[in-house]
Amino acid sequence: MPTVVLAHCLDFVTWRNATRTLILHDIAAEEITWRVRDPADAATQTGILSPLPPDTPTRSAFGVPRAVMRLIEDVMQTGAPDRFALAYRLVQRQVTGIAHPSGDDDADFTRARHLAQEVCGQTRAFRAHIATSHKPADALSWDDPSGFVAQCNARFVTLQLSFHPWRLEMPGGTMQWDGTSLQPGEPLHDADPASFPTPALPLVEGMDIDRITALPAVAETARSCLVCAMAHHATQTVFGEGEATAPLMFVGEQPGDQEDRIGRPFVGPAGQLFDRALQEAGIARDHVYVTNTVKHFKFFNRNGRRIHQKAGVEEIRACAPWLHAERRLIRPRLLVMLGATAASAILQRPVVIGRERSHPITLDDGTCGLVTVHPSFLLRQPTEEARTREYQRFVEDLRLAGRLIDA
């Protein structure tokens, strides 16, 4: 009978690898012994200890629906003593159709869903506790002794506390982040957090963005955001970039096709024109901060090409916390709004570019704002003469921006 030794009680990676091999060899759930390695015996090998049949696997490669694996990762965060065997049966049922030994086909899934609901509730409670705690970072505590929700949400804590060192007192041990590495505490001393199951909730859920004081922590959190529908279709979140204390901040509408693929703002054709205009205006891009109102690329497919779609009210509203955090942390002396979408989102009213362009505006936070066109507007001009004329007007707006921050 095969014995599987896991490195620690949250070792999802070893469990997953062993499960894949055992099911390929058609090993029944009741034939497997699951065991967690004794921390005092670090020399013990992990994985499948007992030899498997020498013949080739009896099954071909298989896949498991993502929803089932998500359910299993939630189950793994509980303290249920049979969670490894239960999770194995869930996979085996998907691959082979073998039912629960009791004859109740839904027994395992019913129990797993119940455990997962408990984990989701514990995760929400833990995150709310961390996000609303006003104690010093070295006085955090968590009193729930069931399961391993706190350990699986260590990244949430680190980002919510802006990468500052922290220590969390828990029943039976202490988990801490020293600024570079995580020590998950007992009974997971020296365990690799990369082997833990992922949290039951998306990283951004429950995060108090207004309490984050480090821009990199906001950016890292934003990369997990799937609030709006277009986030599920875009390649990645495209957060802002530039000097964290820049006196000059530029805000456009949304990333384009190349920005979405590369993961940086203003690197496509409009971005290259923007860089050229900055240089001509005597402004170094390295000394400014550039971002977008919306952090994902909204598009539709036409003959294999991804065609830009204008961001709507829902997308702008969903991304508003990220832009607000960028403004709050960078605190630019001048914010330049590139195009009507960015201007309307920041000014919270309809904006006609021709009417408000090139005139300094006092923003809601007391800083200065300036409206101009988006560089993509220059690319859409019908003639070379029009492109040259509008480009020069754009450069003049950038020169005005330079004078305003120097004033």
Side-chain angles (χ1 to χ4, degrees):
M1 296 179 63
T3 296
V4 180
V5 177
L6 305 175
H8 51 79
C9 52
L10 265 183
D11 190 1
F12 174 70
V13 170
T14 300
W15 173 89
R16 182 183 59 200
N17 294 339
T19 293
R20 183 184 297 116
T21 300
L22 292 167
I23 287 182
L24 286 174
H25 283 82
D26 216 9
I27 305 298
E30 57 270 21
E31 297 178 12
I32 305 168
T33 299
W34 299 91
R35 181 164 62 85
V36 175
R37 182 174 64 187
D38 186 340
D41 189 9
T44 301
Q45 180 183 352
T46 59
I48 304 171
L49 295 191
S50 305
L52 294 171
D55 53 347
T56 58
T58 58
R59 294 187 177 277
S60 58
F62 62 90
V64 177
R66 181 172 299 189
V68 175
M69 291 306 297
R70 175 64 270 171
L71 178 65
I72 287 171
E73 289 197 73
D74 291 350
V75 168
M76 290 294 190
Q77 297 174 54
T78 71
D82 66 332
R83 62 189 181 279
F84 305 119
L86 171 62
Y88 183 88
R89 292 197 301 271
L90 296 180
V91 175
Q92 188 178 52
R93 169 79 180 281
Q94 286 290 312
V95 177
T96 68
I98 296 175
H100 188 275
S102 68
D104 183 351
D105 288 356
D106 295 324
D108 282 336
F109 275 100
T110 298
R111 181 158 176 262
R113 291 189 186 101
H114 176 72
L115 292 172
Q117 287 174 355
E118 290 184 349
V119 167
C120 285
Q122 292 166 355
T123 301
R124 286 192 181 91
F126 175 76
R127 292 185 176 187
H129 175 73
I130 296 298
T132 58
S133 175
H134 294 284
K135 297 178 181 178
D138 61 354
L140 294 170
S141 64
W142 178 243
D143 298 328
D144 191 339
S146 61
F148 303 97
V149 161
Q151 291 87 342
C152 291
N153 283 273
R155 185 164 170 248
F156 176 92
V157 182
T158 299
L159 294 176
Q160 181 66 83
L161 298 181
S162 307
F163 294 119
H164 294 304
W166 54 264
R167 188 174 73 250
L168 180 67
E169 301 291 342
M170 303 178 295
T174 299
M175 178 169 61
Q176 62 183 14
W177 162 263
D178 63 8
T180 56
S181 62
L182 176 73
Q183 289 297 326
E186 301 298 338
L188 293 162
H189 185 65
D190 290 334
D192 182 3
S195 64
F196 296 177
T198 57
L201 302 175
L203 181 65
V204 71
E205 189 168 333
M207 188 79 72
D208 187 346
I209 300 168
D210 287 339
R211 289 189 62 207
I212 300 177
T213 59
L215 193 62
V218 177
E220 188 66 23
T221 305
R223 291 187 182 99
S224 72
C225 184
L226 297 173
V227 172
C228 64
M230 71 181 187
H232 295 267
H233 303 291
T235 304
Q236 59 191 311
T237 301
V238 181
F239 204 72
E241 69 173 21
E243 191 171 302
T245 57
L248 181 56
M249 179 175 177
F250 291 92
V251 181
E253 179 196 331
Q254 64 168 302
D257 179 74
Q258 291 190 34
E259 287 82 359
D260 177 63
R261 298 180 192 277
I262 296 172
R264 295 180 56 214
F266 289 87
V267 294
Q272 293 168 24
L273 190 60
F274 174 63
D275 284 350
R276 181 179 134 206
L278 279 177
Q279 184 177 21
E280 195 166 329
I283 300 172
R285 175 156 172 169
D286 290 346
H287 295 161
V288 304
Y289 187 87
V290 294
T291 190
N292 284 295
T293 307
V294 172
K295 311 303 184 189
H296 289 103
F297 178 37
K298 185 177 182 181
F299 64 91
F300 66 92
N301 282 298
R302 178 191 292 165
N303 300 324
R305 294 180 60 216
R306 305 196 302 174
I307 307 300
H308 165 275
Q309 282 186 299
K310 185 177 180 179
V313 174
E314 290 186 4
E315 290 92 9
I316 293 171
R317 186 181 297 120
C319 280
W322 309 122
L323 180 58
H324 175 74
E326 289 174 299
R327 291 179 62 189
R328 171 176 60 86
L329 294 172
I330 294 167
R331 301 180 64 83
R333 293 204 300 273
L334 176 67
L335 189 151
V336 179
M337 295 158 270
L338 302 171
T341 298
S344 297
I346 291 168
L347 299 176
Q348 294 293 293
R349 59 177 172 79
V351 172
V352 177
I353 297 294
R355 190 181 305 153
E356 304 198 46
R357 181 177 184 177
S358 309
H359 301 295
I361 302 170
T362 300
L363 302 180
D364 54 1
D365 61 356
T367 59
C368 185
L370 186 69
V371 174
T372 186
V373 297
H374 193 281
S376 63
F377 169 78
L378 311 177
L379 298 174
R380 295 194 300 270
Q381 296 307 299
T383 66
E384 184 64 33
E385 180 183 358
R387 284 192 289 274
T388 300
R389 181 182 66 250
E390 290 301 332
Y391 175 77
Q392 290 303 323
R393 286 193 66 193
F394 183 62
V395 171
E396 283 305 313
D397 282 341
L398 298 186
R399 287 183 176 135
L400 172 60
R403 291 194 297 272
L404 288 172
I405 62 172
D406 289 338

